[in-house]
Amino acid sequence: MGSVTIQNLVKRYGGLEVLHGIDLTVEDGKFVVLLGPSGCGKSTLLRMIAGLETVSSGDIAIGEQRVNDMHPKDRNIAMVFQNYALYAHMSVRENMAFSMRLKKTAQAEVDERVNWAASILSLEPYLDRFPKELSGGQRQRVAMGRAIVRNPDVFLFDEPLSNLDAKLRVQMRKEIKELHQRLKTTTVYVTHDQIEAMTMADQVVIMRDGVIEQIGTPLDIYDNPDNLFVAQFIGSPGMNLLSGEIVQGAGGKMFQTGDVTCELPQNSAAMVGQKVLYGIRPEHLQASMQGSGLSATVTVVEPTGPEIHLYATLAGHEICAIAHQRLDWKPDDELKLNPMVDRVHLFDAETKVAIPAG
Amino acid sequence: MHDSTLKLTLRYLVSILIVGIFVFPIAWWGLTSVKPISAVFDKDRIVVFDFEPTLENYRVTVLGYSKRGSKEDGKTLMGTSGNNSYDGRSSIVSSVIVAVGSTLITTIFALLASYGLSRMRFWGSQGYLNWILSQRFLPPVAIIVPLVFIFHDMGLRDTHAGLIIAHTLINIPIAVLLLKSFMDDIPIDIDQAAMIDGATRFQCFWMVILPMVKGGLAATAVLCFVFSWTEFLLSLFLTSSIRTIPVKITTYVTSTGSEWGYISALGTSAILPSFIFILLVQRHLVRGLTMGAIKD
């Protein structure tokens, strides 16, 4: 009943097309995150689902019902806004009860629903306070409470955590996920924060310039990016990319850039002579102080606590490796790097599309 | 410690000075209204406090006693039948009717217009705002002659309704502009949240936006009221028997001299109703009504 189906959805503002034929199915009860840089159209897509933006062409259905021309209030959705959008002149209780007051719900039921939502969100002590008397996290919880009291078919979140400080963001992230696990309401969540997307989503939808670049589970997207954009967008520090070409080596096809050659996975579909980008994530570059491997020179050392980020130059390329041993790395040290061959990604230099590993 | 005491003293001195500059004319006006004529026109010295206060000016202008009848022993109420040309009571009533009426109508119209202009995109909405504002580009005196004819032909000349309409027309542009800026301060997300919560456009306006824009509404109402209360030119030309206070006061300047006592008495009394009005609305004149609605 709470699935969302989007078919060939287009949004134009005058002559400017911002969404170019989006197809997406959000299954009932799933937590889907729309992820992308600012201006990619993710918020527009969410607002179209909410009914706050008109549909230029294509279809949106919630459950079995086509909702293109339906007023937001008739879609049985609830939305949490980036800036909370609370009713400042109403108490927390009134904020949460507002939608039921409009529906003229019986007072007993209103009280029951509000108390239920307040208990889930630990808002009981604040029910008679006004939004201005609450902290940022509490306000965000009120906004969520306003959404859950209605028992909607779909929850829509528009960057709900981006106004919170880092610590609170981690806490609220967990709370939203717990809430979803408990209520199992279909959720569409917009963010530009890849950590939020990775940690919360059942499915991540990566968008750029009004098109969907890839849809998949967080780990699938991380491990098997379809194209260069997705590979670069996901992961921090980002994937290392070296441009070069495929050459025939002694043991099979090899990647070559300058005088550096790297092994490729067996059965790689890359063809000899093809111009490619060689991608490897920092944690898949094993760094050591001596031994065999590619020689690089350390430029910056960043200890983060659990690991150490080593920035280095390799054949004129800036690269990053993650080391877990607490060795005494220093700038200008020589570094030996061994890429994990089965974790290598290849992208065609022209089309930027991933070349299958085999 | 010493330094901060000095600073504080200086700060108070400057505040007192500034407040003094603003209060002095009003206080002097009030003082003049209780002075006997001999104290107002003393050619040898400036009389500040050493005079015998009298309420005669008020008896004549506000209570309607005749000029002669108000003398110390007089208890005859001659002026009430209209014989007393200094009786300002009907002009106080007229001013209240016109100011309250035009303020009410202006704020209602401006409220609806500013909501539309702030929230709805329609063809020419930007030009529309400029057009509204352009109504104020021309000084009212430039249109006074056609206005008098139009009002006369429509039977609106010399009526309260006519003056209310005239003041409303003059006030609406500023009121719309002002209220629109208050509405623009409320993020559109609030409207959208309300609509997703199930509100119709009107419910959204009535239950959510209006309470949040209360402060702006009060400020606008005060401005409109004060404008209408003190407006002179339109009232002068559009009325003859109805006299608002500013027009009435000018009739105290006669061929035989200016009645400073009456002018100051009616002028001082005229401060009162607008003062009361402002007192009534000023509790709404607080900033930050939207505080807490969004991330600050």
Side-chain angles (χ1 to χ4, degrees):
Chain A
M1 63 163 206
S3 64
V4 178
T5 314
I6 293 164
Q7 282 176 322
N8 201 19
L9 191 71
V10 173
K11 177 66 189 176
R12 286 183 213 97
Y13 293 106
L16 182 71
E17 190 170 300
V18 295
L19 288 182
H20 319 282
I22 300 286
D23 288 297
L24 175 67
T25 303
V26 180
E27 285 167 36
D28 188 21
K30 290 281 187 227
F31 196 116
V32 168
V33 173
L34 305 180
L35 176 67
S38 7
C40 72
K42 56 191 190 300
S43 280
T44 308
L45 178 57
L46 189 82
R47 294 165 57 81
M48 286 168 89
I49 299 172
L52 300 173
E53 299 279 353
T54 54
V55 172
S56 303
S57 74
D59 281 315
I60 302 175
I62 295 174
E64 299 298 310
Q65 174 105 42
R66 180 175 176 275
V67 295
N68 279 32
D69 306 310
M70 213 182 250
H71 191 275
K73 73 185 171 68
D74 301 320
R75 298 188 182 202
N76 199 22
I77 45 158
M79 184 157 167
V80 177
F81 292 82
Q82 177 174 5
N83 57 16
Y84 323 138
L86 299 179
Y87 313 127
H89 58 294
M90 298 182 195
S91 67
V92 169
R93 186 190 301 280
E94 289 166 331
N95 262 281
M96 294 208 274
F98 185 66
S99 61
M100 290 182 284
R101 189 172 137 209
L102 291 171
K103 275 194 210 149
K104 303 200 181 350
T105 312
Q107 190 59 42
E109 193 188 335
V110 172
D111 290 341
E112 190 193 327
R113 298 286 305 168
V114 169
N115 290 335
W116 167 79
S119 71
I120 286 185
L121 296 164
S122 319
L123 279 172
E124 286 127 322
Y126 310 108
L127 279 176
D128 292 314
R129 290 208 196 165
F130 285 87
K132 65 176 174 215
E133 299 162 328
L134 301 176
S135 70
Q138 289 163 344
R139 286 181 202 175
Q140 189 55 268
R141 271 203 281 268
V142 175
M144 277 160 50
R146 202 170 60 180
I148 66 174
V149 287
R150 304 181 40 205
N151 196 15
D153 288 339
V154 182
F155 276 136
L156 305 174
F157 288 88
D158 190 2
E159 309 211 17
L161 305 185
S162 55
N163 279 339
L164 302 177
D165 61 51
K167 200 173 167 194
L168 202 53
R169 201 179 302 180
V170 174
Q171 184 193 333
M172 291 302 292
R173 202 163 76 195
K174 186 170 141 277
E175 285 185 25
I176 293 177
K177 193 165 180 176
E178 272 173 357
L179 192 69
H180 178 255
Q181 285 166 357
R182 185 163 171 175
L183 303 177
K184 297 196 170 49
T185 307
T186 312
T187 303
V188 183
Y189 185 108
V190 163
T191 182
H192 60 263
D193 182 344
Q194 51 162 313
I195 306 290
E196 276 174 35
M198 296 295 285
T199 50
M200 298 166 87
D202 292 322
Q203 221 171 20
V204 180
V205 177
I206 298 196
M207 294 183 65
R208 177 174 62 153
D209 295 340
V211 295
I212 292 177
E213 294 282 345
Q214 190 171 356
I215 302 175
T217 63
L219 293 181
D220 183 37
I221 280 188
Y222 187 81
D223 290 337
N224 305 304
D226 277 353
N227 55 46
L228 189 66
F229 173 77
V230 176
Q232 283 178 305
F233 193 75
I234 297 282
S236 175
M239 184 185 280
N240 296 302
L241 289 161
L242 310 173
S243 61
E245 66 178 310
I246 307 294
V247 294
Q248 186 65 53
K253 283 178 277 193
M254 303 279 279
F255 167 79
Q256 185 172 40
T257 176
D259 49 7
V260 175
T261 51
C262 309
E263 265 184 81
L264 293 181
Q266 299 263 312
N267 311 325
S268 170
M271 283 174 301
V272 175
Q274 191 176 4
K275 297 261 186 268
V276 296
L277 288 160
Y278 173 96
I280 182 98
R281 294 208 181 271
E283 65 272 28
H284 299 143
L285 266 180
Q286 290 168 323
S288 49
M289 285 185 138
Q290 60 250 340
S292 63
L294 308 169
S295 289
T297 312
V298 176
T299 53
V300 174
V301 180
E302 278 185 354
T304 64
E307 56 202 25
I308 298 169
H309 297 175
L310 299 166
Y311 291 90
T313 46
L314 171 72
H317 294 280
E318 271 289 326
I319 57 158
C320 175
I322 291 178
H324 293 276
Q325 319 93 300
R326 307 219 158 179
L327 298 177
D328 186 21
W329 309 98
K330 277 194 287 296
D332 296 328
D333 278 356
E334 194 175 334
L335 190 65
K336 293 293 179 191
L337 294 170
N338 285 295
M340 294 159 70
V341 178
D342 55 339
R343 296 302 193 125
V344 168
H345 304 271
L346 286 179
F347 304 94
D348 186 279
E350 257 173 55
T351 63
K352 317 284 192 225
V353 174
I355 301 166
Chain B
M1 183 63 193
H2 174 257
D3 187 45
S4 73
T5 319
L6 187 71
K7 261 190 192 164
L8 205 66
T9 317
L10 270 177
R11 199 174 292 164
Y12 273 117
L13 273 179
V14 172
S15 326
I16 289 169
L17 188 73
I18 291 174
V19 170
I21 288 172
F22 282 95
V23 166
F24 175 74
I26 299 171
W28 190 256
W29 206 226
L31 209 56
T32 305
S33 71
V34 292
K35 279 179 186 171
I37 194 116
S38 57
V40 178
F41 289 108
D42 193 316
K43 67 181 174 58
D44 299 321
R45 62 201 179 97
I46 297 170
V47 179
V48 183
F49 290 121
D50 52 342
F51 60 87
E52 203 173 312
T54 167
L55 289 176
E56 189 205 332
N57 296 326
Y58 287 96
R59 289 160 69 93
V60 172
T61 54
V62 185
L63 296 177
Y65 284 70
S66 79
K67 195 175 175 184
R68 185 161 301 149
S70 75
K71 292 277 194 266
E72 306 308 322
D73 58 340
K75 293 197 168 53
T76 42
L77 224 74
M78 283 173 67
T80 45
S81 58
N83 293 337
N84 174 15
S85 61
Y86 295 107
D87 183 0
R89 287 179 299 176
S90 70
S91 59
I92 293 176
V93 172
S94 288
S95 272
V96 169
I97 292 173
V98 171
V100 170
S102 74
T103 302
L104 212 63
I105 298 176
T106 306
T107 43
I108 291 171
F109 275 51
L111 196 60
L112 297 173
S114 57
Y115 180 76
L117 286 167
S118 167
R119 289 304 197 254
M120 295 167 196
R121 294 284 152 263
F122 52 89
W123 186 83
S125 58
Q126 186 53 44
Y128 193 72
L129 197 65
N130 292 335
W131 178 72
I132 292 178
L133 202 59
S134 75
Q135 305 303 301
R136 285 299 296 262
F137 291 174
L138 217 58
V141 69
I143 52 158
I144 202 83
V145 173
L147 210 59
V148 168
F149 278 105
I150 294 169
F151 272 53
H152 180 266
D153 291 349
M154 293 175 73
L156 288 170
R157 216 186 88 80
D158 205 19
T159 61
H160 288 120
L163 210 48
I164 287 174
I165 291 174
H167 285 180
T168 302
L169 290 178
I170 298 290
N171 269 335
I172 272 186
I174 297 293
V176 169
L177 203 70
L178 196 66
L179 270 174
K180 181 182 177 291
S181 78
F182 278 101
M183 299 236 183
D184 287 346
D185 281 349
I186 302 175
I188 197 148
D189 289 356
I190 307 254
D191 300 53
Q192 295 175 341
M195 281 190 219
I196 287 177
D197 266 350
T200 60
R201 179 65 89 167
F202 180 75
Q203 284 173 322
C204 168
F205 168 74
W206 189 251
M207 299 167 88
V208 176
I209 301 301
L210 189 58
M212 283 175 131
V213 84
K214 234 168 37 179
L217 194 62
T220 310
V222 166
L223 270 183
C224 292
F225 185 90
V226 169
F227 167 82
S228 178
W229 190 254
T230 57
E231 199 280 329
F232 173 69
L233 201 68
L234 288 166
S235 312
L236 180 67
F237 282 93
L238 294 178
T239 58
S240 41
S241 61
I242 293 170
R243 288 289 185 211
T244 59
I245 292 168
V247 178
K248 182 70 184 178
I249 286 177
T250 60
T251 65
Y252 295 171
V253 180
T254 65
S255 55
T256 55
S258 302
E259 295 283 1
W260 288 112
Y262 298 156
I263 292 175
S264 57
L266 188 58
T268 309
S269 318
I271 293 175
L272 264 181
S274 52
F275 188 68
I276 292 169
F277 179 79
I278 291 170
L279 270 188
L280 285 177
V281 294
Q282 77 157 5
R283 66 192 181 91
H284 300 296
L285 280 179
V286 282
R287 286 201 66 82
L289 273 175
T290 53
M291 244 177 73
I294 54 162
K295 169 81 179 178
D296 303 312

PDB file of all heavy atoms in Angstrom, chain A residues 240-256:
ATOM      1  N   ASN A 240      41.099   6.626  -5.488  1.00  0.00           N
ATOM      2  CA  ASN A 240      42.248   7.101  -6.271  1.00  0.00           C
ATOM      3  C   ASN A 240      42.010   6.775  -7.734  1.00  0.00           C
ATOM      4  O   ASN A 240      41.527   5.690  -8.064  1.00  0.00           O
ATOM      5  CB  ASN A 240      43.522   6.384  -5.824  1.00  0.00           C
ATOM      6  CG  ASN A 240      43.862   6.718  -4.385  1.00  0.00           C
ATOM      7  OD1 ASN A 240      44.039   7.872  -4.042  1.00  0.00           O
ATOM      8  ND2 ASN A 240      43.911   5.680  -3.546  1.00  0.00           N
ATOM      9  N   LEU A 241      42.347   7.722  -8.590  1.00  0.00           N
ATOM     10  CA  LEU A 241      42.141   7.499 -10.020  1.00  0.00           C
ATOM     11  C   LEU A 241      43.418   7.854 -10.782  1.00  0.00           C
ATOM     12  O   LEU A 241      43.958   8.949 -10.604  1.00  0.00           O
ATOM     13  CB  LEU A 241      40.988   8.353 -10.531  1.00  0.00           C
ATOM     14  CG  LEU A 241      39.611   7.892 -10.044  1.00  0.00           C
ATOM     15  CD1 LEU A 241      38.603   8.991 -10.173  1.00  0.00           C
ATOM     16  CD2 LEU A 241      39.168   6.629 -10.788  1.00  0.00           C
ATOM     17  N   LEU A 242      43.890   6.908 -11.570  1.00  0.00           N
ATOM     18  CA  LEU A 242      45.084   7.152 -12.379  1.00  0.00           C
ATOM     19  C   LEU A 242      44.678   6.992 -13.835  1.00  0.00           C
ATOM     20  O   LEU A 242      44.044   6.004 -14.199  1.00  0.00           O
ATOM     21  CB  LEU A 242      46.177   6.129 -12.040  1.00  0.00           C
ATOM     22  CG  LEU A 242      46.495   5.933 -10.548  1.00  0.00           C
ATOM     23  CD1 LEU A 242      47.470   4.777 -10.365  1.00  0.00           C
ATOM     24  CD2 LEU A 242      47.073   7.206  -9.957  1.00  0.00           C
ATOM     25  N   SER A 243      45.064   7.956 -14.683  1.00  0.00           N
ATOM     26  CA  SER A 243      44.703   7.804 -16.086  1.00  0.00           C
ATOM     27  C   SER A 243      45.875   7.193 -16.844  1.00  0.00           C
ATOM     28  O   SER A 243      47.041   7.505 -16.594  1.00  0.00           O
ATOM     29  CB  SER A 243      44.317   9.155 -16.686  1.00  0.00           C
ATOM     30  OG  SER A 243      45.403  10.038 -16.617  1.00  0.00           O
ATOM     31  N   GLY A 244      45.560   6.265 -17.736  1.00  0.00           N
ATOM     32  CA  GLY A 244      46.604   5.585 -18.479  1.00  0.00           C
ATOM     33  C   GLY A 244      45.986   4.678 -19.519  1.00  0.00           C
ATOM     34  O   GLY A 244      44.856   4.922 -19.948  1.00  0.00           O
ATOM     35  N   GLU A 245      46.705   3.633 -19.922  1.00  0.00           N
ATOM     36  CA  GLU A 245      46.108   2.734 -20.904  1.00  0.00           C
ATOM     37  C   GLU A 245      46.437   1.276 -20.578  1.00  0.00           C
ATOM     38  O   GLU A 245      47.290   0.990 -19.743  1.00  0.00           O
ATOM     39  CB  GLU A 245      46.540   3.107 -22.311  1.00  0.00           C
ATOM     40  CG  GLU A 245      48.008   2.914 -22.588  1.00  0.00           C
ATOM     41  CD  GLU A 245      48.347   3.262 -24.034  1.00  0.00           C
ATOM     42  OE1 GLU A 245      47.658   2.756 -24.940  1.00  0.00           O
ATOM     43  OE2 GLU A 245      49.292   4.035 -24.256  1.00  0.00           O
ATOM     44  N   ILE A 246      45.728   0.389 -21.269  1.00  0.00           N
ATOM     45  CA  ILE A 246      45.914  -1.046 -21.065  1.00  0.00           C
ATOM     46  C   ILE A 246      47.029  -1.529 -21.999  1.00  0.00           C
ATOM     47  O   ILE A 246      47.018  -1.210 -23.189  1.00  0.00           O
ATOM     48  CB  ILE A 246      44.612  -1.811 -21.370  1.00  0.00           C
ATOM     49  CG1 ILE A 246      43.447  -1.225 -20.572  1.00  0.00           C
ATOM     50  CG2 ILE A 246      44.778  -3.305 -21.126  1.00  0.00           C
ATOM     51  CD1 ILE A 246      43.540  -1.391 -19.081  1.00  0.00           C
ATOM     52  N   VAL A 247      47.972  -2.235 -21.423  1.00  0.00           N
ATOM     53  CA  VAL A 247      49.056  -2.797 -22.250  1.00  0.00           C
ATOM     54  C   VAL A 247      49.097  -4.308 -22.041  1.00  0.00           C
ATOM     55  O   VAL A 247      48.561  -4.830 -21.052  1.00  0.00           O
ATOM     56  CB  VAL A 247      50.427  -2.181 -21.886  1.00  0.00           C
ATOM     57  CG1 VAL A 247      50.448  -0.698 -22.240  1.00  0.00           C
ATOM     58  CG2 VAL A 247      50.746  -2.399 -20.410  1.00  0.00           C
ATOM     59  N   GLN A 248      49.720  -4.989 -22.981  1.00  0.00           N
ATOM     60  CA  GLN A 248      49.870  -6.433 -22.833  1.00  0.00           C
ATOM     61  C   GLN A 248      51.167  -6.697 -22.064  1.00  0.00           C
ATOM     62  O   GLN A 248      52.247  -6.328 -22.503  1.00  0.00           O
ATOM     63  CB  GLN A 248      49.933  -7.082 -24.235  1.00  0.00           C
ATOM     64  CG  GLN A 248      49.933  -8.595 -24.205  1.00  0.00           C
ATOM     65  CD  GLN A 248      48.622  -9.172 -23.641  1.00  0.00           C
ATOM     66  OE1 GLN A 248      47.542  -8.845 -24.097  1.00  0.00           O
ATOM     67  NE2 GLN A 248      48.737 -10.026 -22.615  1.00  0.00           N
ATOM     68  N   GLY A 249      51.077  -7.271 -20.899  1.00  0.00           N
ATOM     69  CA  GLY A 249      52.275  -7.591 -20.120  1.00  0.00           C
ATOM     70  C   GLY A 249      52.581  -9.079 -20.209  1.00  0.00           C
ATOM     71  O   GLY A 249      51.890  -9.823 -20.912  1.00  0.00           O
ATOM     72  N   ALA A 250      53.572  -9.490 -19.429  1.00  0.00           N
ATOM     73  CA  ALA A 250      53.995 -10.884 -19.474  1.00  0.00           C
ATOM     74  C   ALA A 250      52.900 -11.802 -18.940  1.00  0.00           C
ATOM     75  O   ALA A 250      52.554 -12.809 -19.545  1.00  0.00           O
ATOM     76  CB  ALA A 250      55.271 -11.060 -18.663  1.00  0.00           C
ATOM     77  N   GLY A 251      52.298 -11.374 -17.810  1.00  0.00           N
ATOM     78  CA  GLY A 251      51.304 -12.257 -17.181  1.00  0.00           C
ATOM     79  C   GLY A 251      49.890 -11.951 -17.611  1.00  0.00           C
ATOM     80  O   GLY A 251      48.951 -12.393 -16.965  1.00  0.00           O
ATOM     81  N   GLY A 252      49.700 -11.168 -18.642  1.00  0.00           N
ATOM     82  CA  GLY A 252      48.350 -10.806 -19.082  1.00  0.00           C
ATOM     83  C   GLY A 252      48.240  -9.302 -19.242  1.00  0.00           C
ATOM     84  O   GLY A 252      49.251  -8.607 -19.361  1.00  0.00           O
ATOM     85  N   LYS A 253      46.966  -8.804 -19.248  1.00  0.00           N
ATOM     86  CA  LYS A 253      46.776  -7.370 -19.453  1.00  0.00           C
ATOM     87  C   LYS A 253      47.212  -6.600 -18.199  1.00  0.00           C
ATOM     88  O   LYS A 253      47.017  -7.058 -17.073  1.00  0.00           O
ATOM     89  CB  LYS A 253      45.295  -7.087 -19.755  1.00  0.00           C
ATOM     90  CG  LYS A 253      44.936  -7.459 -21.178  1.00  0.00           C
ATOM     91  CD  LYS A 253      43.483  -7.235 -21.483  1.00  0.00           C
ATOM     92  CE  LYS A 253      42.647  -8.411 -21.009  1.00  0.00           C
ATOM     93  NZ  LYS A 253      41.267  -8.384 -21.541  1.00  0.00           N
ATOM     94  N   MET A 254      47.841  -5.454 -18.475  1.00  0.00           N
ATOM     95  CA  MET A 254      48.319  -4.622 -17.364  1.00  0.00           C
ATOM     96  C   MET A 254      47.848  -3.197 -17.606  1.00  0.00           C
ATOM     97  O   MET A 254      47.544  -2.802 -18.735  1.00  0.00           O
ATOM     98  CB  MET A 254      49.868  -4.610 -17.322  1.00  0.00           C
ATOM     99  CG  MET A 254      50.523  -5.955 -17.218  1.00  0.00           C
ATOM    100  SD  MET A 254      50.528  -6.533 -15.524  1.00  0.00           S
ATOM    101  CE  MET A 254      51.925  -5.643 -14.876  1.00  0.00           C
ATOM    102  N   PHE A 255      47.832  -2.404 -16.500  1.00  0.00           N
ATOM    103  CA  PHE A 255      47.527  -0.978 -16.625  1.00  0.00           C
ATOM    104  C   PHE A 255      48.849  -0.220 -16.570  1.00  0.00           C
ATOM    105  O   PHE A 255      49.721  -0.512 -15.746  1.00  0.00           O
ATOM    106  CB  PHE A 255      46.615  -0.533 -15.497  1.00  0.00           C
ATOM    107  CG  PHE A 255      46.511   0.958 -15.373  1.00  0.00           C
ATOM    108  CD1 PHE A 255      45.685   1.689 -16.232  1.00  0.00           C
ATOM    109  CD2 PHE A 255      47.248   1.657 -14.419  1.00  0.00           C
ATOM    110  CE1 PHE A 255      45.599   3.066 -16.133  1.00  0.00           C
ATOM    111  CE2 PHE A 255      47.171   3.028 -14.321  1.00  0.00           C
ATOM    112  CZ  PHE A 255      46.341   3.743 -15.175  1.00  0.00           C
ATOM    113  N   GLN A 256      49.007   0.775 -17.439  1.00  0.00           N
ATOM    114  CA  GLN A 256      50.258   1.517 -17.431  1.00  0.00           C
ATOM    115  C   GLN A 256      49.987   3.022 -17.415  1.00  0.00           C
ATOM    116  O   GLN A 256      49.175   3.536 -18.181  1.00  0.00           O
ATOM    117  CB  GLN A 256      51.085   1.166 -18.669  1.00  0.00           C
ATOM    118  CG  GLN A 256      52.459   1.840 -18.639  1.00  0.00           C
ATOM    119  CD  GLN A 256      53.365   1.371 -19.745  1.00  0.00           C
ATOM    120  OE1 GLN A 256      52.925   1.168 -20.883  1.00  0.00           O
ATOM    121  NE2 GLN A 256      54.632   1.160 -19.421  1.00  0.00           N
TER     122      GLN A 256
END
